């Protein structure tokens, strides 16, 4: 799903999927428009004047969930966005500030006082501002619930079962420190293949490529934030899955990190896992990706709305 940074050719499939076949003139015009788009995109990425946060956003916007929210036909209520959600999402997509926020050049967050010099508007809020941690948690919960409901309905009647937020049967240290406390990790989803006697523990994470911990890597390389988060999650789950309690079980266990960057890029491991679930029904995978994109960007808009409300309250109360 997220194999290349810049598409190498125009999406003819989307044109010919329904309706009359395009004329030769239409095909040529589309190809030329696509070449212009690719050229402009590549110029932005190669520009030495673009700040790292802008490059990180541009690379993150090449994902499979990045643009579906404004290209889908809103034929059903679940495929619709409010005017506010659409405006806020598009401004975030383009790296624009949102009223009543100051310009992106501001050096500190007006909510927490933290340094935001490393990010465009939105990057600090999407990544680390403690004042909107609750909104980031709600974003994670919405995406996880969507995955659970969709997978449970689509896998109904098969040999697969889906469970929501399942604690691992063992507790492991939260860090490598000798005195680190043991914690019982909770998998966001567990997908069990009864015929193969195999369970997959799925952990959903939503990193922001504009976060300071991922820069400048995420500005140079597409998917750097997702890969960094995947490696962290794999190290955290390694001890749990190697515990004798699980090794001696009748089921085999596998950890699946499902990493979705906040601008819509899906990490390669999670991408392969989703494709594997729907290998016999690509249309169902397409529907899931569309709903994930809409939910992700709606949640981003809700997060910024929460921050905007807090700023207005602090402005008038101060």
């Amino acid at each position: 799903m997220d194999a290349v940074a810049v598409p190498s050719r125009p999406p003819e499939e989307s044109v010919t999927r329904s309706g009359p076949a395009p004329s030769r003139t239409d095909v040529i015009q589309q190809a030329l428009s696509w070449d212009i788009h690719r050229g402009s995109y590549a110029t932005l990425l190669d520009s030495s004047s673009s700040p790292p946060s802008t490059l990180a956003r541009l690379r993150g916007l090449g994902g499979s969930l990045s643009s579906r929210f404004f290209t889908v036909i809103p034929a059903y209520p679940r495929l619709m966005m409010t005017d506010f959600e659409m405006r806020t999402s598009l401004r975030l997509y383009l790296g624009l500030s949102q009223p009543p926020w100051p310009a992106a050049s501001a050096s500190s967050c007006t909510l927490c006082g933290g340094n935001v010099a490393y990010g465009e508007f939105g990057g600090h809020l999407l990544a680390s501002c403690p004042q909107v941690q609750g909104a980031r948690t709600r974003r994670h919960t919405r995406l996880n619930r969507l995955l659970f409901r969709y997978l449970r309905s689509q896998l109904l009647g098969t040999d697969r079962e889906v469970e929501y937020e399942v604690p691992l049967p063992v507790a492991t240290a939260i860090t490598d420190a000798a005195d680190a406390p043991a914690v019982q990790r909770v998998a966001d989803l567990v997908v069990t293949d009864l015929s193969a006697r195999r369970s997959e523990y799925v952990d959903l994470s939503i990193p922001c490529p504009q976060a300071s911990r991922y820069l400048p890597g995420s500005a140079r390389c597409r998917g750097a934030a997702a890969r960094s988060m995947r490696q962290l999650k794999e190290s955290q789950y390694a001890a749990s899955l190697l515990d004798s309690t699980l090794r001696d079980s009748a089921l085999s266990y596998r950890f699946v990190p499902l990493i979705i960057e906040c601008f819509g890029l899906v990490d390669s491991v999670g991408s392969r896992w989703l494709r594997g679930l729907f290998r016999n029904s690509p249309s169902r995978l397409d529907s899931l990706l569309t709903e994930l994109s809409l939910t992700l960007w709606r949640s981003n808009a809700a997060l910024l709305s929460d921050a905007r409300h807090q700023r207005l309250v602090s402005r008038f109360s101060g």
Side-chain angles (χ1 to χ4, degrees), residues 9 21 28 35 37 54 77 80 84 91 97 99 111 116 127 136 139 168-169 189 204 216 227 236 245 268 273 291 312:
R9 61 189 179 91
I28 293 175
D35 284 341
H37 165 73
T54 296
M80 297 178 183
F84 171 80
R91 293 183 72 88
S97 62
L111 294 181
V116 297
R136 288 195 295 273
R139 179 181 61 183
L168 271 68
L189 299 172
L204 171 67
R227 282 191 296 275
Q236 290 177 341
T245 305
S268 58
W273 178 71
E291 294 200 38
L312 287 172

Side-chain angles (χ1 to χ4, degrees), residues 250-271:
L251 293 174
S252 62
Y253 292 87
R254 175 193 172 210
F255 170 59
V256 179
L258 180 56
I259 316 298
I260 302 174
E261 291 186 0
C262 67
F263 294 118
L265 187 144
V266 184
D267 181 60
S268 58
V269 172
S271 177

Side-chain angles (χ1 to χ4, degrees), residues 18 68-80 290 294:
S18 62
R68 287 172 177 260
F69 76 94
F70 65 78
T71 59
V72 64
I73 298 175
Y76 307 101
R78 70 176 185 274
L79 301 180
M80 297 178 183
T290 296
L294 286 162

Side-chain angles (χ1 to χ4, degrees), residues 118-168:
Y118 59 82
E120 293 179 329
F121 173 81
H124 171 69
L125 299 174
L126 294 169
S128 59
C129 180
Q131 298 302 313
V132 288
Q133 175 59 45
R136 288 195 295 273
T137 300
R138 288 190 291 274
R139 179 181 61 183
H140 177 279
T141 300
R142 290 188 187 107
L143 285 171
N144 197 41
R145 285 178 176 171
L146 168 61
L147 282 164
F148 171 68
R149 289 195 299 266
Y150 194 91
L151 293 180
R152 185 178 59 175
S153 66
Q154 297 301 318
L155 299 178
L156 189 65
T158 70
D159 291 333
R160 286 192 172 98
E161 291 182 350
V162 184
E163 299 172 88
Y164 182 78
E165 292 188 345
V166 179
L168 271 68

Side-chain angles (χ1 to χ4, degrees), residues 60 70 237 278 299:
F70 65 78
Y237 273 81
F278 296 99
S299 299

